[in-house]
Amino acid sequence: MGRSRGGFSTKLHLAADLRSRPVSRSLTAGQRHDRIGFDDVMAGIRMPRRRGRPRIRPARLLGDKAYSVAAIRTGLRRRHA
């Protein structure tokens, strides 16, 4: 998808539950910022419940320092995460 110093590369953005099972994922070019894949991953979160609609808002988020940009923090505040 994208070219880097070592050749073509990709990034996998993944959301997982507490048991490390994948819930949502997105694939982007390796040289793109992590902010690009964040919106797609968050939009794909659907946590099934025993009854009712699935939960779409995560309780908390763990990520590396690329996910600490202001735009991502603002989006998480809007989602009350």
Side-chain angles (χ1 to χ4, degrees), residues 41-57:
V41 170
M42 293 302 286
I45 292 178
R46 300 283 183 269
M47 302 289 294
R49 296 181 181 179
R50 291 180 188 223
R51 292 192 302 187
R53 292 182 295 179
R55 190 169 54 124
I56 59 173
R57 185 175 55 200

PDB file of all heavy atoms in Angstrom, residues 41-57:
ATOM      1  N   VAL A  41     -11.492   2.448  12.850  1.00  0.00           N
ATOM      2  CA  VAL A  41     -11.530   1.444  13.917  1.00  0.00           C
ATOM      3  C   VAL A  41     -12.640   1.772  14.911  1.00  0.00           C
ATOM      4  O   VAL A  41     -13.405   0.898  15.312  1.00  0.00           O
ATOM      5  CB  VAL A  41     -10.161   1.351  14.640  1.00  0.00           C
ATOM      6  CG1 VAL A  41     -10.256   0.513  15.891  1.00  0.00           C
ATOM      7  CG2 VAL A  41      -9.121   0.784  13.707  1.00  0.00           C
ATOM      8  N   MET A  42     -12.742   3.029  15.309  1.00  0.00           N
ATOM      9  CA  MET A  42     -13.764   3.413  16.280  1.00  0.00           C
ATOM     10  C   MET A  42     -15.173   3.244  15.709  1.00  0.00           C
ATOM     11  O   MET A  42     -16.091   2.872  16.424  1.00  0.00           O
ATOM     12  CB  MET A  42     -13.547   4.863  16.730  1.00  0.00           C
ATOM     13  CG  MET A  42     -12.279   5.052  17.526  1.00  0.00           C
ATOM     14  SD  MET A  42     -12.191   4.044  19.002  1.00  0.00           S
ATOM     15  CE  MET A  42     -13.320   4.889  20.054  1.00  0.00           C
ATOM     16  N   ALA A  43     -15.335   3.509  14.416  1.00  0.00           N
ATOM     17  CA  ALA A  43     -16.649   3.359  13.799  1.00  0.00           C
ATOM     18  C   ALA A  43     -17.068   1.896  13.709  1.00  0.00           C
ATOM     19  O   ALA A  43     -18.259   1.590  13.665  1.00  0.00           O
ATOM     20  CB  ALA A  43     -16.641   3.982  12.411  1.00  0.00           C
ATOM     21  N   GLY A  44     -16.107   0.983  13.698  1.00  0.00           N
ATOM     22  CA  GLY A  44     -16.412  -0.433  13.562  1.00  0.00           C
ATOM     23  C   GLY A  44     -16.623  -1.177  14.867  1.00  0.00           C
ATOM     24  O   GLY A  44     -16.914  -2.373  14.862  1.00  0.00           O
ATOM     25  N   ILE A  45     -16.496  -0.505  16.001  1.00  0.00           N
ATOM     26  CA  ILE A  45     -16.647  -1.178  17.298  1.00  0.00           C
ATOM     27  C   ILE A  45     -18.109  -1.504  17.551  1.00  0.00           C
ATOM     28  O   ILE A  45     -18.971  -0.626  17.537  1.00  0.00           O
ATOM     29  CB  ILE A  45     -16.083  -0.320  18.445  1.00  0.00           C
ATOM     30  CG1 ILE A  45     -14.575  -0.228  18.316  1.00  0.00           C
ATOM     31  CG2 ILE A  45     -16.480  -0.893  19.800  1.00  0.00           C
ATOM     32  CD1 ILE A  45     -13.931   0.634  19.367  1.00  0.00           C
ATOM     33  N   ARG A  46     -18.373  -2.781  17.766  1.00  0.00           N
ATOM     34  CA  ARG A  46     -19.704  -3.269  18.134  1.00  0.00           C
ATOM     35  C   ARG A  46     -19.500  -4.376  19.160  1.00  0.00           C
ATOM     36  O   ARG A  46     -19.133  -5.486  18.817  1.00  0.00           O
ATOM     37  CB  ARG A  46     -20.445  -3.849  16.929  1.00  0.00           C
ATOM     38  CG  ARG A  46     -20.670  -2.894  15.797  1.00  0.00           C
ATOM     39  CD  ARG A  46     -21.803  -1.938  16.124  1.00  0.00           C
ATOM     40  NE  ARG A  46     -22.090  -1.030  15.018  1.00  0.00           N
ATOM     41  CZ  ARG A  46     -21.531   0.164  14.875  1.00  0.00           C
ATOM     42  NH1 ARG A  46     -20.654   0.580  15.745  1.00  0.00           N
ATOM     43  NH2 ARG A  46     -21.860   0.947  13.873  1.00  0.00           N
ATOM     44  N   MET A  47     -19.724  -4.069  20.432  1.00  0.00           N
ATOM     45  CA  MET A  47     -19.554  -5.041  21.504  1.00  0.00           C
ATOM     46  C   MET A  47     -20.915  -5.635  21.849  1.00  0.00           C
ATOM     47  O   MET A  47     -21.784  -4.939  22.383  1.00  0.00           O
ATOM     48  CB  MET A  47     -18.961  -4.365  22.750  1.00  0.00           C
ATOM     49  CG  MET A  47     -17.625  -3.696  22.513  1.00  0.00           C
ATOM     50  SD  MET A  47     -16.309  -4.848  22.277  1.00  0.00           S
ATOM     51  CE  MET A  47     -16.248  -5.602  23.860  1.00  0.00           C
ATOM     52  N   PRO A  48     -21.135  -6.915  21.536  1.00  0.00           N
ATOM     53  CA  PRO A  48     -22.450  -7.506  21.802  1.00  0.00           C
ATOM     54  C   PRO A  48     -22.741  -7.591  23.300  1.00  0.00           C
ATOM     55  O   PRO A  48     -21.847  -7.759  24.117  1.00  0.00           O
ATOM     56  CB  PRO A  48     -22.350  -8.893  21.184  1.00  0.00           C
ATOM     57  CG  PRO A  48     -20.923  -9.158  20.983  1.00  0.00           C
ATOM     58  CD  PRO A  48     -20.209  -7.852  20.944  1.00  0.00           C
ATOM     59  N   ARG A  49     -24.003  -7.432  23.615  1.00  0.00           N
ATOM     60  CA  ARG A  49     -24.472  -7.575  24.999  1.00  0.00           C
ATOM     61  C   ARG A  49     -25.406  -8.771  25.066  1.00  0.00           C
ATOM     62  O   ARG A  49     -25.826  -9.313  24.044  1.00  0.00           O
ATOM     63  CB  ARG A  49     -25.220  -6.319  25.429  1.00  0.00           C
ATOM     64  CG  ARG A  49     -24.363  -5.094  25.457  1.00  0.00           C
ATOM     65  CD  ARG A  49     -25.184  -3.919  25.909  1.00  0.00           C
ATOM     66  NE  ARG A  49     -24.376  -2.710  25.919  1.00  0.00           N
ATOM     67  CZ  ARG A  49     -24.833  -1.540  26.254  1.00  0.00           C
ATOM     68  NH1 ARG A  49     -26.091  -1.398  26.596  1.00  0.00           N
ATOM     69  NH2 ARG A  49     -24.047  -0.501  26.247  1.00  0.00           N
ATOM     70  N   ARG A  50     -25.768  -9.150  26.269  1.00  0.00           N
ATOM     71  CA  ARG A  50     -26.712 -10.269  26.405  1.00  0.00           C
ATOM     72  C   ARG A  50     -28.085  -9.900  25.857  1.00  0.00           C
ATOM     73  O   ARG A  50     -28.747 -10.713  25.238  1.00  0.00           O
ATOM     74  CB  ARG A  50     -26.838 -10.678  27.867  1.00  0.00           C
ATOM     75  CG  ARG A  50     -25.587 -11.316  28.379  1.00  0.00           C
ATOM     76  CD  ARG A  50     -25.754 -11.699  29.813  1.00  0.00           C
ATOM     77  NE  ARG A  50     -24.457 -12.131  30.320  1.00  0.00           N
ATOM     78  CZ  ARG A  50     -24.296 -13.171  31.069  1.00  0.00           C
ATOM     79  NH1 ARG A  50     -25.328 -13.884  31.433  1.00  0.00           N
ATOM     80  NH2 ARG A  50     -23.100 -13.506  31.476  1.00  0.00           N
ATOM     81  N   ARG A  51     -28.496  -8.650  26.096  1.00  0.00           N
ATOM     82  CA  ARG A  51     -29.762  -8.162  25.562  1.00  0.00           C
ATOM     83  C   ARG A  51     -29.568  -6.739  25.081  1.00  0.00           C
ATOM     84  O   ARG A  51     -28.752  -5.997  25.605  1.00  0.00           O
ATOM     85  CB  ARG A  51     -30.847  -8.167  26.644  1.00  0.00           C
ATOM     86  CG  ARG A  51     -31.249  -9.543  27.061  1.00  0.00           C
ATOM     87  CD  ARG A  51     -32.490  -9.538  27.878  1.00  0.00           C
ATOM     88  NE  ARG A  51     -32.341  -8.717  29.093  1.00  0.00           N
ATOM     89  CZ  ARG A  51     -33.232  -8.640  30.044  1.00  0.00           C
ATOM     90  NH1 ARG A  51     -34.346  -9.317  29.945  1.00  0.00           N
ATOM     91  NH2 ARG A  51     -33.034  -7.895  31.093  1.00  0.00           N
ATOM     92  N   GLY A  52     -30.351  -6.349  24.110  1.00  0.00           N
ATOM     93  CA  GLY A  52     -30.315  -4.972  23.637  1.00  0.00           C
ATOM     94  C   GLY A  52     -29.304  -4.727  22.532  1.00  0.00           C
ATOM     95  O   GLY A  52     -28.723  -5.643  21.975  1.00  0.00           O
ATOM     96  N   ARG A  53     -29.119  -3.461  22.251  1.00  0.00           N
ATOM     97  CA  ARG A  53     -28.212  -3.056  21.176  1.00  0.00           C
ATOM     98  C   ARG A  53     -26.754  -3.257  21.587  1.00  0.00           C
ATOM     99  O   ARG A  53     -26.418  -3.195  22.764  1.00  0.00           O
ATOM    100  CB  ARG A  53     -28.433  -1.580  20.848  1.00  0.00           C
ATOM    101  CG  ARG A  53     -29.771  -1.310  20.221  1.00  0.00           C
ATOM    102  CD  ARG A  53     -29.912   0.130  19.867  1.00  0.00           C
ATOM    103  NE  ARG A  53     -29.892   0.925  21.105  1.00  0.00           N
ATOM    104  CZ  ARG A  53     -29.979   2.233  21.144  1.00  0.00           C
ATOM    105  NH1 ARG A  53     -30.077   2.914  20.032  1.00  0.00           N
ATOM    106  NH2 ARG A  53     -29.979   2.872  22.288  1.00  0.00           N
ATOM    107  N   PRO A  54     -25.878  -3.469  20.618  1.00  0.00           N
ATOM    108  CA  PRO A  54     -24.454  -3.612  20.954  1.00  0.00           C
ATOM    109  C   PRO A  54     -23.871  -2.286  21.428  1.00  0.00           C
ATOM    110  O   PRO A  54     -24.323  -1.210  21.043  1.00  0.00           O
ATOM    111  CB  PRO A  54     -23.809  -4.059  19.648  1.00  0.00           C
ATOM    112  CG  PRO A  54     -24.756  -3.671  18.593  1.00  0.00           C
ATOM    113  CD  PRO A  54     -26.114  -3.662  19.198  1.00  0.00           C
ATOM    114  N   ARG A  55     -22.868  -2.394  22.275  1.00  0.00           N
ATOM    115  CA  ARG A  55     -22.193  -1.209  22.800  1.00  0.00           C
ATOM    116  C   ARG A  55     -21.207  -0.701  21.751  1.00  0.00           C
ATOM    117  O   ARG A  55     -20.440  -1.474  21.191  1.00  0.00           O
ATOM    118  CB  ARG A  55     -21.461  -1.568  24.091  1.00  0.00           C
ATOM    119  CG  ARG A  55     -20.944  -0.396  24.847  1.00  0.00           C
ATOM    120  CD  ARG A  55     -20.488  -0.824  26.212  1.00  0.00           C
ATOM    121  NE  ARG A  55     -19.525  -1.904  26.109  1.00  0.00           N
ATOM    122  CZ  ARG A  55     -18.314  -1.864  26.637  1.00  0.00           C
ATOM    123  NH1 ARG A  55     -17.935  -0.825  27.322  1.00  0.00           N
ATOM    124  NH2 ARG A  55     -17.495  -2.870  26.500  1.00  0.00           N
ATOM    125  N   ILE A  56     -21.217   0.598  21.476  1.00  0.00           N
ATOM    126  CA  ILE A  56     -20.324   1.164  20.467  1.00  0.00           C
ATOM    127  C   ILE A  56     -19.306   2.125  21.074  1.00  0.00           C
ATOM    128  O   ILE A  56     -18.450   2.633  20.376  1.00  0.00           O
ATOM    129  CB  ILE A  56     -21.112   1.891  19.362  1.00  0.00           C
ATOM    130  CG1 ILE A  56     -21.956   3.007  19.934  1.00  0.00           C
ATOM    131  CG2 ILE A  56     -21.972   0.906  18.597  1.00  0.00           C
ATOM    132  CD1 ILE A  56     -22.625   3.879  18.901  1.00  0.00           C
ATOM    133  N   ARG A  57     -19.379   2.346  22.366  1.00  0.00           N
ATOM    134  CA  ARG A  57     -18.472   3.271  23.040  1.00  0.00           C
ATOM    135  C   ARG A  57     -17.530   2.498  23.961  1.00  0.00           C
ATOM    136  O   ARG A  57     -17.977   1.830  24.888  1.00  0.00           O
ATOM    137  CB  ARG A  57     -19.280   4.284  23.841  1.00  0.00           C
ATOM    138  CG  ARG A  57     -18.427   5.340  24.477  1.00  0.00           C
ATOM    139  CD  ARG A  57     -19.253   6.380  25.154  1.00  0.00           C
ATOM    140  NE  ARG A  57     -20.154   5.775  26.114  1.00  0.00           N
ATOM    141  CZ  ARG A  57     -21.245   6.350  26.579  1.00  0.00           C
ATOM    142  NH1 ARG A  57     -21.601   7.516  26.152  1.00  0.00           N
ATOM    143  NH2 ARG A  57     -22.006   5.741  27.455  1.00  0.00           N
TER     144      ARG A  57
END
